[in-house]
Amino acid sequence: MTTRPPSRGGAGRKGSGVGASKRPGRGPGPAGRSPFGAKSPFGAKRPFRNAKDPERERTGPRTSALDAAQRAASMRGEADKRAPWRPGDAPDAEAEHRDQQDLPTRVRSPRPQASEERPEESPRRARAPRPEAAAALVEGPTRREQRAAASATLASGVQTLVVEEDEAEMRIDRFLTTRFPQLPFTRVQSIVRKGELRVDGKRAKPNDRLLPGMSVRVPPLKLDAVGERPRSAQRDATDADFIRSLILYEDAEMMVLNKPFGLAVQGGSGTVRHVDGLLEALAGPDGQKPRLVHRLDKDTAGCLIVAKTRLAAATLAKSFRSRSARKVYWALTAGVPRVHQGRISTYLAKEEPTDADARMRVAQHGDDGAAHALTYYAMVDNAAQKLSWLSLKPVTGRTHQLRAHAAHIGHPIVGDPKYFSIENWELPGGIQNRLHLLARRIVIPHPRTGKPVDVTAPLPPHMAQSWNLLGFDAARYDPIVEAPEA
């Protein structure tokens, strides 16, 4: 006996047999129904859903996304708290819209355009964002706040600083003084000299240059809290007027000052008034002040370049390192060189490596701390074979280079307290016992245009007095301009 298998539509339903449908183009099932599913609220068909009997829609071994989500919610204990997958349990549309409006834009859940027609909400779209996700959207600290935090943690222990893009090519000592303005420069040099500071895990030197991304390890320091020094508006105006009176050249990127004799460029032990401190009076509204590019000895007068922006400072400093800058110095020396034009090439090293202002000595190649120094000189004029007017062109830029080289050839600079060592030498009458050394002229590529900026400084008062007394003509031709550049 052959039996017919039961119909999938259920027993007792009309038109369940083969060929029972009388309407062309339709499959089995009641009129207006499709065996492949009813229309979705979004207008698309949902295939393979039994639309004939709503009671059979949730039967069988198949697991729907609704069932899985409900089981997961019950396991978390949230089944009674939140069940937005059914229209009856979901919050009203206005409340949900208010919740979405209260969140930041980036965490707002996307909603379909036809959501009003959809009877069920997806669990992913109805789930509210976690509080920590919203908190992560809070913007980080500003650059000023980061530097303030770095300054505050300076006294707490070891910290690691990361070199940023605009700090590229900065000297390590300048980097520290920029990050920690309350740290004395002498203390910075001591930290580097003792090896307490590391760059990418290696010991650093004060003149080492930094690259973006490098890590600088700062040792723990115990410092007293330093409050902001109250600034006097009258004093700032006085300092600003004084600095402006020294300007020989100025534009939007840089300026060249005529540094007077006796004014230090940077602060140190016992030094209160210096160029770097006076530049504070020219700070802009953002707190940025002009920056030093190079240094001169305290008793050396003449051209001193100052950058107005960080980019200009980096570009000008690079010009000095690549020896693109040309410098001419004038000096009054004891005696007359036997060779009127010559070249001085030695190695120089500090007599006391731990002393920042120690004398330089002529060293041998390979000595600890020895660096090569090269200077060209030319005698412009002399007075009775007793005094010489020398024009000097340094190729390198070592500490006390010109003063040490002049003493090395037996003609120290008049008024030099460190290197003048001629015995039984009396200062000629009418000449002041001050260092007779002037940074007479400097030519350097402009940081923005690259065109040469040529600036000449006048003789300081004590040198002008000596020139007049000895009959030297400051307008006389200077043969040093023909000296080699390397």
Side-chain angles (χ1 to χ4, degrees), residues 221-244:
L221 300 173
K222 294 182 179 180
L223 300 176
D224 296 333
V226 179
E228 295 186 0
R229 180 178 63 89
R231 298 188 62 87
S232 168
Q234 182 178 0
R235 180 176 179 180
D236 284 348
T238 303
D239 292 346
D241 291 341
F242 175 72
I243 287 292
R244 292 192 182 98

Side-chain angles (χ1 to χ4, degrees), residues 144 279-290 308:
R144 185 183 297 273
L279 291 175
E280 295 280 356
L282 300 181
D286 56 351
Q288 296 293 326
K289 69 171 186 177
K308 289 187 172 182

Side-chain angles (χ1 to χ4, degrees), residues 88-398:
D89 297 335
D92 61 283
E94 293 182 1
E96 184 178 0
H97 180 70
R98 288 194 301 269
D99 293 341
Q100 294 288 347
Q101 290 295 331
D102 292 339
L103 295 176
T105 304
R106 285 182 290 181
V107 298
R108 186 174 299 169
S109 302
R111 297 178 59 85
Q113 296 180 355
S115 58
E116 296 83 357
E117 302 176 6
R118 187 174 180 178
E120 297 176 1
E121 282 291 333
S122 171
R124 292 184 179 179
R125 295 181 179 178
R127 188 174 299 169
R130 296 179 179 179
E132 56 266 25
L137 297 176
V138 179
E139 296 184 359
T142 63
R143 183 181 180 86
R144 185 183 297 273
E145 292 172 347
Q146 290 175 349
R147 291 188 174 179
S151 299
T153 58
L154 179 62
S156 62
V158 177
Q159 59 179 309
T160 301
L161 307 177
V162 179
V163 181
E164 300 184 10
E165 291 291 339
D166 59 352
E167 295 171 330
E169 299 296 335
M170 289 184 69
R171 285 170 51 111
I172 184 64
D173 51 1
R174 180 58 57 189
F175 170 79
L176 289 181
T177 54
T178 301
R179 287 292 188 99
F180 306 108
Q182 81 277 20
L183 190 64
F185 187 73
T186 53
R187 180 61 177 144
V188 171
Q189 289 182 321
S190 175
I191 293 171
V192 180
R193 184 174 61 251
K194 293 180 180 179
E196 299 177 356
L197 184 139
R198 303 281 173 152
V199 178
D200 287 344
K202 299 179 181 179
R203 189 168 179 169
K205 297 180 181 179
N207 58 349
D208 285 351
R209 302 286 173 173
L210 297 175
L211 297 177
M214 283 185 170
S215 61
V216 181
R217 176 187 177 275
V218 180
L221 300 173
K222 294 182 179 180
L223 300 176
D224 296 333
V226 179
E228 295 186 0
R229 180 178 63 89
R231 298 188 62 87
S232 168
Q234 182 178 0
R235 180 176 179 180
D236 284 348
T238 303
D239 292 346
D241 291 341
F242 175 72
I243 287 292
R244 292 192 182 98
S245 68
L246 304 178
I247 294 177
L248 298 173
Y249 171 86
E250 183 181 20
D251 59 24
E253 307 291 335
M254 60 179 289
M255 58 183 176
V256 182
L257 304 180
N258 180 23
K259 190 192 84 66
F261 167 87
L263 179 63
V265 173
Q266 289 178 312
S269 57
T271 303
V272 178
R273 185 176 175 84
H274 48 83
V275 176
D276 196 27
L278 294 173
L279 291 175
E280 295 280 356
L282 300 181
D286 56 351
Q288 296 293 326
K289 69 171 186 177
R291 298 171 173 83
L292 295 171
V293 176
H294 64 124
R295 287 174 289 181
L296 295 176
D297 294 339
K298 178 179 179 180
D299 292 340
T300 302
C303 297
L304 179 68
I305 295 180
V306 176
K308 289 187 172 182
T309 64
R310 187 184 295 275
L311 179 61
T315 306
L316 292 170
K318 186 176 181 180
S319 297
F320 278 98
R321 291 194 304 272
S322 62
R323 300 178 184 175
S324 300
R326 300 290 180 257
K327 296 170 285 184
V328 174
Y329 287 75
W330 281 1
L332 182 66
T333 63
V336 178
R338 184 173 58 86
V339 179
H340 291 183
Q341 296 182 9
R343 175 178 181 267
I344 309 171
S345 178
T346 66
Y347 285 86
L348 296 178
K350 286 186 177 180
E351 292 183 349
E352 297 292 338
T354 59
D355 187 358
D357 197 32
R359 273 176 50 103
M360 304 296 291
R361 62 177 177 86
V362 176
Q364 299 296 324
H365 178 57
D367 289 354
D368 187 23
H372 180 248
L374 176 61
T375 303
Y376 288 93
Y377 74 91
M379 188 187 72
V380 183
D381 202 351
N382 72 88
Q385 299 296 312
K386 298 296 183 181
L387 297 171
S388 296
W389 166 13
L390 292 187
S391 184
L392 307 164
K393 180 187 287 187
V395 177
T396 56
R398 311 305 177 195

Side-chain angles (χ1 to χ4, degrees), residues 426-431 469:
E426 294 183 1
L427 191 68
I431 296 180
L469 179 65

